[in-house]
Amino acid sequence: MRFDFDIEQIGGAYRAAVEPRDLVDPGIWTGAALHVDGAAGDDGNSGLGSQDGDFANAKRTIHAAFTAGNATGAAYRVLVKAGDYAEAAFTRNGNDEPNQPVAVIGWGGPLRYRAGPFDVVWSDAGGTYTATEGSVRRVFRCDLLTAEGHYTELSEAADVASCAAAQNTWVHDGTLLHVNVGGAPGAEDIAVIRSFHGARFMTHDKDFYLENVHCEGGISGALHFDAVAARNIVGVNCSFRYSAPSNPTALQDAARVRRTDGLVAFFDCDASGGAKDGWSFHEDGTAGMHVLLQDCSGWRNGFSTATSCNGFTSHDGVRAILLGGDFGLSRNGTEVHVIQSTETWAAGCRAVARDVDGTSVAFKCSNDALMWLQDCAGDAAGQAENYALQANAGTVFTRGFSALAGGVDLTSGGSVTPF
């Protein structure tokens, strides 16, 4: 389930000498290929083509392809024509999952899934614009991006009058969603995140590969693997963003993997705007999780009243390698936080902390955790206490670590030692 591979430093960047597709069951690449075309497909079609990329008999939804692939009783892949897939189109809101080793691949470009509509019809209500969208959890402007290239979130107002009085706010009133963005929004200008599941896999327990998959929203996370499993999970060029809680006490991470004994590897992937953490890895009683993130990122995680929000966090006995990547601007937490008896080597990573709870921490090692930081940079500022690195009972070893802003703090017997 895990693989030996070398780590190379090429031009100052750290890379794993591995081909991501080689990390999962090889039967995926020789099994059936089910095609999905959200615009021209039909779930009554077979989904099969004469070759990979033949969408003549494509299905319309991803979950229909899962059902057809499961019926083969063998590993398969789902080739999804680039485009937009909304609301229940992925797993039928968590009801239809694969049960074989599987790959989901955006074909010819990105597969964009949103737990909400991509096109919204707006009406002028005088002071606000309205749409008949129910079960709204979060609202973002797609036409106004953050410095990291993510959507800008609108603040929820107390009532319609408050929304009308404050630009970049929203409120749900009865059957209507009200927004105030200072003018008439275009049909694709607002991302309305509704109460649907994202890419949620609670029962699937075999190898899973994702490529060119971009998920927005999800009340259990934009990406969530939960089954007790001995398997590998691999993602390439994907993003998981804007997870939205079903209620304020059920805050979920952008990308969460639990209870997996095997290798969990992501390459050039982003987990940002999560209701709680960005990347979150837990053994939760199933030992053996090994994590590899290469050139991955996690920005602006933490929503509403959420606390202890991190760009990356690992728990229990997870072993992790972080190669390159940026994490930053989370709410009430730490950018890179390793906890309990985890072991983590981070090389060439940057963490930027600008917290709102009085303490900014870029890298943090807690409990009995071990952390090696090599050629990493911590930047923590803006609060009364600012730490580029904090050893909170944990043991940290450094080589070429740069504290760009903020100090190094030792607490509860923690230590920081060069190696």
Side-chain angles (χ1 to χ4, degrees):
M1 303 304 295
R2 291 175 288 275
F3 296 82
D4 293 326
F5 49 80
D6 294 328
I7 304 296
E8 305 170 332
Q9 188 176 13
I10 303 173
Y14 290 86
R15 296 287 183 269
V18 65
E19 168 53 52
R21 291 194 178 192
D22 292 342
L23 299 175
V24 293
D25 188 330
I28 290 173
W29 311 116
T30 58
L34 283 304
H35 293 76
V36 177
D37 183 339
D42 188 318
D43 283 347
N45 291 340
S46 69
L48 301 173
S50 59
Q51 60 185 9
D52 284 8
D54 176 6
F55 289 86
N57 295 303
K59 292 186 175 294
R60 183 178 58 84
T61 61
I62 300 166
H63 61 78
F66 287 154
T67 300
N70 292 345
T72 70
Y76 63 94
R77 55 200 178 278
V78 178
L79 308 181
V80 185
K81 195 169 189 178
D84 298 338
Y85 297 80
E87 302 191 340
F90 208 121
T91 63
R92 199 167 63 87
N93 202 26
N95 288 292
D96 292 335
E97 296 190 17
N99 61 19
Q100 301 295 325
V102 67
V104 179
I105 299 174
W107 190 267
L111 177 177
R112 296 178 62 219
Y113 168 75
R114 179 180 293 168
F118 280 94
D119 296 305
V120 181
V121 177
W122 298 100
S123 300
D124 190 347
T128 67
Y129 283 81
T130 63
T132 53
E133 298 290 344
S135 302
V136 178
R137 296 295 176 257
R138 299 176 76 178
V139 181
F140 296 82
R141 287 187 64 168
C142 308
D143 63 331
L144 182 64
L145 302 181
T146 69
E148 304 78 41
H150 301 145
Y151 302 157
T152 298
E153 185 159 15
L154 304 188
S155 300
E156 186 174 6
D159 49 41
V160 174
S162 300
C163 182
Q167 192 170 320
N168 289 326
T169 62
W170 71 277
V171 70
H172 202 265
D173 179 52
T175 60
L176 292 179
L177 167 65
H178 294 253
V179 301
N180 177 0
V181 293
E188 299 181 2
D189 287 349
I190 306 293
V192 179
I193 305 300
R194 300 183 62 220
S195 187
F196 284 88
H197 288 290
R200 169 186 181 263
F201 303 100
M202 306 297 281
T203 61
H204 184 263
D205 61 359
K206 298 177 175 62
D207 281 9
F208 206 120
Y209 180 92
L210 298 139
E211 185 175 321
N212 292 340
V213 175
H214 302 273
C215 298
E216 300 176 2
I219 56 175
S220 53
L223 180 72
H224 187 177
F225 290 97
D226 197 82
V228 174
R231 48 90 173 269
N232 294 339
I233 298 168
V234 178
V236 178
N237 188 30
C238 297
S239 62
F240 315 104
R241 298 170 178 164
Y242 320 127
S243 58
S246 56
N247 64 69
T249 63
L251 300 165
Q252 296 290 353
D253 312 309
R256 168 183 281 202
V257 180
R258 300 176 64 232
R259 306 193 294 180
T260 290
D261 174 10
L263 177 65
V264 181
F266 290 91
F267 303 83
D268 297 296
C269 294
D270 178 67
S272 292
K276 196 174 184 301
D277 297 328
W279 298 99
S280 182
F281 301 96
H282 297 249
E283 287 186 331
D284 284 344
T286 300
M289 186 184 297
H290 289 65
V291 172
L292 169 65
L293 298 189
Q294 178 175 296
D295 293 332
C296 292
S297 54
W299 289 93
R300 300 182 189 272
N301 289 287
F303 167 74
S304 183
T305 59
T307 59
S308 188
C309 305
N310 312 284
F312 169 91
T313 186
S314 58
H315 297 255
D316 310 311
V318 170
R319 284 13 179 195
I321 295 175
L322 310 183
L323 303 178
D326 298 298
F327 308 89
L329 308 184
S330 296
R331 175 188 178 89
N332 287 339
T334 300
E335 298 316 318
V336 176
H337 192 185
V338 296
I339 303 169
Q340 295 163 331
S341 59
T342 57
E343 296 182 11
T344 305
W345 176 45
C349 300
R350 178 177 66 117
V352 179
R354 299 290 188 271
D355 215 333
V356 297
D357 68 348
T359 304
S360 284
V361 183
F363 292 91
K364 187 173 183 178
C365 183
S366 296
N367 308 121
D368 296 323
L370 302 175
M371 173 185 269
W372 289 260
L373 296 177
Q374 184 165 342
D375 297 330
C376 292
D379 179 348
Q383 297 298 321
E385 296 182 86
N386 304 289
Y387 303 118
L389 171 59
Q390 186 175 57
N392 178 26
T395 302
V396 182
F397 302 95
T398 61
R399 178 181 294 175
F401 178 76
S402 298
L404 302 180
V408 175
D409 180 58
L410 308 181
T411 183
S412 301
S415 65
V416 176
T417 307
F419 74 99

